[in-house]
Each structure stands twice: as structure tokens, then as C-alpha cells.
Amino acid sequence: VSEEEVFRTVERGNYFAILPMLPELRPNGDGDRPLSQEYSSANNPLSKSALYDVLKDHRLLVGDQPEFEQELLR
């Protein structure tokens, strides 16, 4: 979420929603602002082991894909 989008970002359950720039396209009573500054994945990077666990849980490791014997991407 960029610095420009923070003021029109709202929380929707486990997600952030960025509302339209034009006020007439925004819903009435668009709620509290959960962010006070720009939000980036650089704020909370995963460790190598945590990243490995996420890839393994979602079966995204090269060895998890039986139709590929080598690399998924070149």
C-alpha cells in the first residue's frame, strides 16, 4: 500500500482494501483507517525457513511438482 493509498485503505477481515480515488465511487461510511503509513512486504520479511515452510505447505517446491523434473522457471 503506497503512501498515496494509505488514506483510502480500509480493513476487510484479514485483508486491506484500497478504495477508489474518486469520492463518489467510495461506499458511505468506509470505516476506520487501519494504516498510518505506507505498508510493504519489506516491513515483515520472512526468514528462509519460514519461506520454505510456506512453499512446502502450498506444494510450490520444485520437487512437489511431478510433471517437472527440473526447474519450474528458466
Side-chain angles (χ1 to χ4, degrees):
V1 177
S2 73
E3 188 175 346
E4 293 176 7
E5 297 166 329
V6 167
F7 78 96
R8 55 191 171 87
T9 300
V10 295
E11 199 165 1
R12 297 280 193 261
N14 293 331
Y15 301 93
F16 293 123
I18 301 170
L19 301 175
M21 289 180 75
L22 299 173
E24 59 269 19
L25 297 177
R26 294 185 206 158
N28 291 334
D30 47 0
D32 295 332
R33 301 290 181 249
L35 301 175
S36 59
Q37 62 184 13
E38 178 180 68
Y39 181 82
S40 168
S41 58
N43 295 357
N44 298 306
L46 291 176
S47 66
K48 284 184 180 183
S49 63
L51 177 58
Y52 177 83
D53 291 342
V54 169
L55 294 174
K56 186 173 178 67
D57 289 345
H58 293 280
R59 297 185 46 87
L60 296 172
L61 295 171
V62 173
D64 293 334
Q65 306 301 320
E67 64 270 15
F68 297 101
E69 292 182 13
Q70 298 294 319
E71 302 172 45
L72 291 176
L73 301 174
R74 290 183 185 257

